[in-house]
Amino acid sequence: MLTFSKYQGLGNDFILMEGRSGQLSEEIQSPDPSWVQRLCDRRFGIGADGLILALPSEGDAELRMRIFNADGSEAEMCGNGIRCLARFLADSDGDGPGRRWTIETPAGLIVPELQSDGQIRVDMGAPFLEPSAVPTTLATDASGLPVGEVDLDGVTLTLAAVGMGNPHGVVPVDDLSTIPFERWGEDLEHHPIFPARANVHFLKVHGRSHLEIRVWERGAGPTLACGTGACATLVAAVLLGLSDRQATVQLPGGPLQISWEKPGASVFMTGPAVAVFDGVLNPDLVPIQQAASNPPPTQEPVETATADACSEEEAQSRVQAFLASTSLDSMINIATESLEERTLSRLQRDVQP
Ligand code: ZDR
């Protein structure tokens, strides 16, 4: 039985899976890209911009996050995703305002904190500006920002590159509505100046504390919001002399508050994360080892499916036996009971003063 939860942050939406106790099989912890694509597909799957796994820490942190884009590629970090993960953890554990988590990511240790208004403030770590760390082939200017020019469709665009663990390109433009957004987004995502591809943000400066971007995400295409991208945009805008160090970054899905005190300091991002629904994956869609390594809940004892170590062949036959001996109704009941617990704890949280 593989349960998941769907969350969104400003319309950037994610499938979240609980694996902090090591309950997710290797096939899910390091998933095949085609499986992630299937889950994220909005017609053939659950539908999401990405899949996020909560996993046991490999060091001293409280947990580890892995995030996979809708195309199955792995991202180093995800700002909206980590807010969704924090909300998911709080909902699962009944945590309230003030709770912080230290979360390992390939981009380093990230620390989200639950605020009293329900928003989540995240210490996103310091931006990477060394071209090799972004990574980009652009050279840094006097302010230390990698900047350059790119010709697309006969138009010369000025472009800055910033790493937030994952690579971003920021392109200031005069008018967000008239640019060939999809073509430029895709071209820049795959441009040789970004050897690991990039998330691309077209920036309109409305004022020194009011920035607006349109987001083209690496591995996902146009999305409604991008947390790391909003942070990268603020850093680029500050170093280009276009913005104060604290600003609202308006995204298609809504605003994020971003601040960056000084070079070398962490960028802070504050914004919402919202639960949408919980679900149970059709057993046909669960990689077979997952079903084998996950014993059924104790309230439905099934002699043939236990958690002891066994050969793959034996595990598969136990899974088959479990599936054959358990009706769809009772599977749904098992799942519903645990989903009810989560929903109740969420409701209790919401009525707390
Ligand atoms: C943009 C993003 N959704 C966020 O909120 O930070 C991150 C997702 C990962 C991104 N597509 C990448 O770096 O590949």
Side-chain angles (χ1 to χ4, degrees), residues 9 12-14 49-50 67-71 73-83 124 164-168 189 196-199 201 215-221 223 225-231 251 256 269:
N12 196 194
D13 59 342
F14 302 95
D49 291 325
I67 147 93
F68 299 89
N69 291 312
D71 72 355
S73 63
E74 182 169 11
E76 301 83 348
M77 230 310 265
C78 179
N80 286 319
I82 210 154
R83 291 200 319 278
M124 299 282 284
M164 289 303 306
N166 52 353
H168 296 270
E189 175 189 351
R197 301 193 283 150
N199 300 283
H201 313 290
V215 176
W216 178 274
E217 267 193 46
R218 175 179 68 168
T223 62
C226 178
T228 48
C231 295
L251 302 116
L256 287 172
M269 169 192 68

Side-chain angles (χ1 to χ4, degrees), residues 201-338:
H201 313 290
F202 297 96
L203 164 65
K204 169 73 186 165
V205 179
H206 293 288
R208 294 195 59 81
S209 59
H210 184 195
L211 312 176
E212 182 181 0
I213 57 175
R214 280 181 83 179
V215 176
W216 178 274
E217 267 193 46
R218 175 179 68 168
T223 62
L224 294 180
C226 178
T228 48
C231 295
T233 298
L234 179 97
V235 169
V238 166
L239 295 175
L240 289 168
L242 301 172
S243 170
D244 292 341
R245 291 189 171 272
Q246 184 153 357
T248 300
V249 179
Q250 184 69 38
L251 302 116
L256 287 172
Q257 305 305 322
I258 312 290
S259 63
W260 184 44
E261 206 173 280
K262 55 182 185 224
S266 287
V267 182
F268 284 86
M269 169 192 68
T270 306
V274 177
V276 184
F277 63 88
D278 300 310
V280 183
L281 211 61
N282 180 332
D284 287 350
L285 289 175
V286 180
I288 191 73
Q289 283 296 308
Q290 159 64 26
S293 62
N294 251 3
T298 46
Q299 63 265 41
E300 281 283 319
V302 176
E303 227 183 272
T304 48
T306 56
D308 55 312
C310 58
S311 70
E312 186 175 337
E313 198 181 323
E314 168 66 8
Q316 286 188 9
S317 80
R318 288 182 187 190
V319 173
Q320 291 310 325
F322 169 67
L323 293 177
S325 65
T326 310
S327 71
L328 188 58
D329 279 352
S330 64
M331 285 188 199
I332 289 168
N333 283 341
I334 294 165
T336 308
E337 277 169 27
S338 71

Side-chain angles (χ1 to χ4, degrees), residues 29-117:
Q29 291 196 34
S30 299
D32 193 277
S34 63
W35 184 66
V36 180
Q37 286 165 15
R38 177 76 191 273
L39 294 192
C40 291
D41 189 288
R42 295 188 187 279
R43 291 180 187 273
F44 293 94
I46 300 162
D49 291 325
L51 167 70
I52 292 178
L53 306 177
L55 299 169
S57 164
E58 288 179 335
D60 296 333
E62 191 172 336
L63 68 147
R64 183 162 62 96
M65 171 178 94
R66 288 191 84 178
I67 147 93
F68 299 89
N69 291 312
D71 72 355
S73 63
E74 182 169 11
E76 301 83 348
M77 230 310 265
C78 179
N80 286 319
I82 210 154
R83 291 200 319 278
C84 289
L85 176 59
R87 183 79 266 168
F88 170 75
L89 298 173
D91 289 345
S92 302
D93 302 345
D95 293 318
R99 178 70 159 94
R100 330 163 69 221
W101 300 261
T102 50
I103 304 181
E104 268 166 35
T105 74
L109 213 60
I110 307 291
V111 186
E113 181 176 323
L114 207 56
Q115 309 289 288
S116 51
D117 62 359

Side-chain angles (χ1 to χ4, degrees), residues 86-206:
R87 183 79 266 168
F88 170 75
L89 298 173
D91 289 345
S92 302
D93 302 345
D95 293 318
R99 178 70 159 94
R100 330 163 69 221
W101 300 261
T102 50
I103 304 181
E104 268 166 35
T105 74
L109 213 60
I110 307 291
V111 186
E113 181 176 323
L114 207 56
Q115 309 289 288
S116 51
D117 62 359
Q119 300 241 328
I120 293 138
R121 183 171 192 257
V122 188
D123 177 343
M124 299 282 284
F128 297 96
L129 296 172
E130 266 301 305
S132 61
V134 175
T136 180
T137 59
L138 295 175
T140 48
D141 68 2
S143 73
L145 179 70
V147 188
E149 289 186 341
V150 175
D151 284 325
L152 289 182
D153 295 335
V155 179
T156 303
L157 299 173
T158 299
L159 177 82
V162 175
M164 289 303 306
N166 52 353
H168 296 270
V170 180
V171 188
V173 295
D174 290 333
D175 187 342
L176 289 174
S177 62
T178 54
I179 53 170
F181 168 70
E182 305 232 336
R183 201 166 64 241
W184 284 0
E186 183 149 26
D187 284 355
L188 290 173
E189 175 189 351
H190 298 279
H191 198 283
I193 57 175
F194 293 116
R197 301 193 283 150
N199 300 283
V200 181
H201 313 290
F202 297 96
L203 164 65
K204 169 73 186 165
V205 179
H206 293 288

